[in-house]
Amino acid sequence: SAFGSKNLYEFGQIQKHVSESYAEYMAGRCYVYALANQLDLKSYGNGLDADGVKLYCAPMAKNVADRAIQVMGGYGYVGEYVVERMWRDAKLLEIGGGTNESHHKNMSRDLKKLREI
């Protein structure tokens, strides 16, 4: 608890951070599971949604980690807590998984091909 006997979940801004993070996480999770469910490993051409998942989930993970750091205050920023590592890992996803610009380009190309079929 913080500020006496008040639980952290009773603060409006904490509620906002937790609920937005949960909703974004679940949306990303649904997208990943939907892609995995329809994936045919014997074929190729699954790039549109693979790029879409990376385009959505990488910044979402960083946003969730940002909020977790905000909720924890100074403790979220120090290396003793897992939140700091999660933020670094999430930031790396944005870079290491391909830039957002490359995902935009790939998705636009694939969407154009769908229209031509």
Side-chain angles (χ1 to χ4, degrees):
S1 69
F3 306 107
S5 63
K6 204 169 184 183
N7 189 300
L8 277 178
Y9 280 100
E10 294 179 32
F11 292 95
Q13 199 62 26
I14 303 296
Q15 294 168 348
K16 177 184 182 287
H17 287 319
V18 170
S19 59
E20 284 182 354
S21 295
Y22 178 77
E24 289 177 12
Y25 163 75
M26 290 304 289
R29 182 179 178 199
C30 287
Y31 197 1
V32 168
Y33 277 77
L35 172 62
N37 190 44
Q38 60 100 30
L39 196 62
D40 181 6
L41 297 178
K42 295 178 182 157
S43 72
Y44 60 93
N46 302 298
L48 176 62
D49 282 319
D51 278 306
V53 162
K54 288 187 263 183
L55 185 65
Y56 179 78
C57 288
M60 176 272 298
K62 192 172 87 47
N63 290 339
V64 169
D66 279 341
R67 289 189 202 107
I69 287 174
Q70 187 70 27
V71 166
M72 293 184 68
Y75 288 117
Y77 194 69
V78 297
E80 297 172 24
Y81 292 90
V82 71
V83 174
E84 184 266 343
R85 184 184 56 79
M86 288 177 156
W87 187 90
R88 282 187 292 116
D89 290 350
K91 183 62 184 170
L92 182 60
L93 284 175
E94 286 186 328
I95 301 164
T99 64
N100 285 348
E101 294 78 15
S102 67
H103 296 311
H104 293 146
K105 181 180 141 204
N106 294 342
M107 290 177 74
S108 295
R109 179 196 62 223
D110 292 345
L111 287 167
K112 183 179 180 238
K113 286 179 188 176
L114 282 178
R115 198 182 82 177
E116 293 171 354
I117 294 177

